[in-house]
Amino acid sequence: MAAFILAAATVVASAAYTGALAEREALDPGALARWVLPIAVTVHHLALAVVVGCLLFAATVLPPRRADTPVLGGRQGARDSHPASTRVMTAASAVSVLWALSAVLVLVFTYADLSGQPVSSSEAFARELVYFVTDLVVGQAWATVVVIAFVVSTLTFLVRSPAGLGATALLAAAAAIPISLVGHAAGSDDHYAGVGALVVHWLGVLVWVGGVAALTVIAPTLNPSRVGTDAPGGDRLARTVLERFSALAGVAFFLVLASGVVNSVLRLGSWEGLVSPYGQLVLLKAAATVLLGAIGLGHRRWAIARLGTVPADRTAWRLVVAELGIMAGIIGVTAALGRTAPPVPQEIKPAATPAQILTGYLLPPELTWEKWLTEWRWDWLWVAATVAAAAVYLLGVRQAHTWAWPRTASWLTGLGLLLYVTCSAPTIYGMVLYSAHTLMLLALAVLVPLLLTLGAPLQLVAATVPRRTDGSRGPREWLDAARPALSAPALSAAVLAVSLGLLYYTPLFRLVLDYWLVHQVANLYFLGVGFCFMTAVLGPSDGRPASRAARIRTAAVLTAALLIWAVVLAAGVLPVLEPDWFVGMARTWGPPVTLDQQLAGISVLTAGFAPMAFLLTALILSRPDAPTGRPRTGTSRPAPSDVAT
């Protein structure tokens, strides 16, 4: 509660400093809307973070029950739950209600603020509010947040399984997407780059701030100096919980800091923007973020190592409370920034060409061999994902001590190709040429997963991450839960093939072209399905892989299917896909639409058939009697049946 009060006080002070609370000369919504909206936004943001953090702790950090309580008959009673888990879920349920109510307030007062009408109970206000929710992007975004908040709030009272809690946490975190679509940086000239940077920023904030809030909530159940002798092993559990969260917080800190720099550049425009009221709040927020990073480093280097003694105990938890207080202030400043005009105007310039109307960007220059390498448009979601994946993998390699360098080279090459496909010519021209789109999607579904799987990330997890013994779910436990999907090559191959057909030959393809969010989901989906398929075919790291013959048959069938698809496309017997989109682009260079869709057959051969033919050949040439299913961390010669080595 103190954090909410501090955040509200900070936003009021910051908004008053920038003049955001002053009466407007025109379209003034009234004093009530001017004062309530920034406070409601602040409460909403902090409540969302608390809910995500508490759910994340319940799903991945905390043990679900007491260590000395047996589970009889596979069932667990409410009295058997660990006090920390019970407390964090109680907080999640209570704060989720506050989140839902504050989201409704933000929706209503945002409409009042944008329309310049005071909030009232009149029929006209209600009718126009409905129009705002159903027909305008800002209204649709906040209405989506309201729906997510109420669904999550309901689930926090009903769900207690680790998988259910994890899914609920992901749903709550998904609220960051509609919020980012209407944020300040989303109004920059490069709209989707701004949205991507905001999503990354929000995800980092939710994990970091929410995690610190969850630590504050469970502190009485983990701090022996406060709970006395009734908490056996409390210091050990406290150290374990803090160490687990410290790893997450380190990644979140760098995501917040890096994406904050990107967002600031998009909104400040130049160094002169730092002297504006908006720029001064940005500097204050940056300084507080760096201070928080220093406190987190202090936790890792000093306080955690000395838990178990009362003075150090008190210092550790005081640092947690101090972090939460500073974070609450930062959220207040962030809400004030949302009410302050940035140096770079937020209005998006109206589309002037057919390509801009359809894609949001000018038509790219003619595609030449040079443009395949020189055309870039940074997608900060994928930049953050690839950098984080590279850093985590390299840390694992360092911990493993002995690790075959070809695996590391394959993993980093796969990530480099992933970054190229999502941020360069394949994606840029994939919105203009069907042949480029098929190249992009098959690279994500086949070529990139093959390289990533050859990097043996699951073997690295098995070699460096121990299984937990307290009943909580960490990386190894979630990997074990996903084992069935990673051990069925025929199923994953069928899902991949059917998904490609459904995407390109149903209305889903137009949705992918029309909406940035659907495009990102499709990319992530095919990358995930492709990784599951490659892992199942190459053999999982820890368990029973499918037989060699079954894996060869599956790879052969999918390879043949891709070859048939390439031939059919090249023959031009299929109807032209989305002619309104590709013809409406008013492209003055390159092949006609019909020829371009025939050339897509070459894309299928390049990014789909060729990698699968390589994989099939490697499987056929591998030794049939080689052992499988044993993780290897050394540099000794790998078993040929495990192509991932």
Side-chain angles (χ1 to χ4, degrees), residues 107-155:
L107 172 64
V108 174
F109 282 96
T110 295
Y111 167 69
D113 181 69
L114 294 177
S115 65
Q117 298 185 42
V119 175
S120 69
S121 58
S122 66
E123 181 180 350
F125 184 88
R127 183 172 58 252
E128 292 171 3
L129 178 61
V130 171
Y131 171 78
F132 174 70
V133 168
T134 56
D135 291 78
L136 299 182
V137 173
V138 177
Q140 292 169 345
W142 279 109
T144 303
V145 174
V146 169
V147 172
I148 292 175
F150 275 97
V151 171
V152 169
S153 180
T154 302
L155 292 176

Side-chain angles (χ1 to χ4, degrees), residues 60-210:
T60 64
V61 176
L62 297 173
R65 61 179 182 274
R66 300 175 186 270
D68 55 350
T69 302
V71 180
L72 302 177
R75 300 181 63 86
Q76 174 183 338
R79 294 182 180 179
D80 302 330
S81 299
H82 194 282
S85 295
T86 301
R87 190 176 178 90
V88 82
M89 284 309 302
T90 301
S93 300
V95 179
S96 67
V97 175
L98 179 62
W99 173 33
L101 295 177
S102 63
V104 173
L105 285 178
V106 172
L107 172 64
V108 174
F109 282 96
T110 295
Y111 167 69
D113 181 69
L114 294 177
S115 65
Q117 298 185 42
V119 175
S120 69
S121 58
S122 66
E123 181 180 350
F125 184 88
R127 183 172 58 252
E128 292 171 3
L129 178 61
V130 171
Y131 171 78
F132 174 70
V133 168
T134 56
D135 291 78
L136 299 182
V137 173
V138 177
Q140 292 169 345
W142 279 109
T144 303
V145 174
V146 169
V147 172
I148 292 175
F150 275 97
V151 171
V152 169
S153 180
T154 302
L155 292 176
T156 58
F157 289 93
L158 301 176
V159 175
R160 287 298 180 270
S161 68
L165 291 172
T168 306
L170 289 177
L171 178 60
I177 296 174
I179 296 173
S180 300
L181 287 170
V182 294
H184 262 172
S188 60
D189 290 338
D190 194 346
H191 172 71
Y192 296 120
V195 171
L198 274 177
V199 171
V200 172
H201 192 74
W202 263 104
L203 292 178
V205 167
L206 293 179
V207 172
W208 193 15
V209 177

Side-chain angles (χ1 to χ4, degrees), residues 538 548-549 551-552 555 612-626 637-643:
L538 296 176
R548 175 176 176 271
R551 289 184 282 156
I552 291 177
M612 284 302 305
F614 165 79
L615 174 62
L616 179 60
T617 303
L619 287 172
I620 292 174
L621 295 178
S622 64
R623 286 205 311 264
D625 57 346
R637 186 183 178 192
S641 65
D642 188 357
V643 185

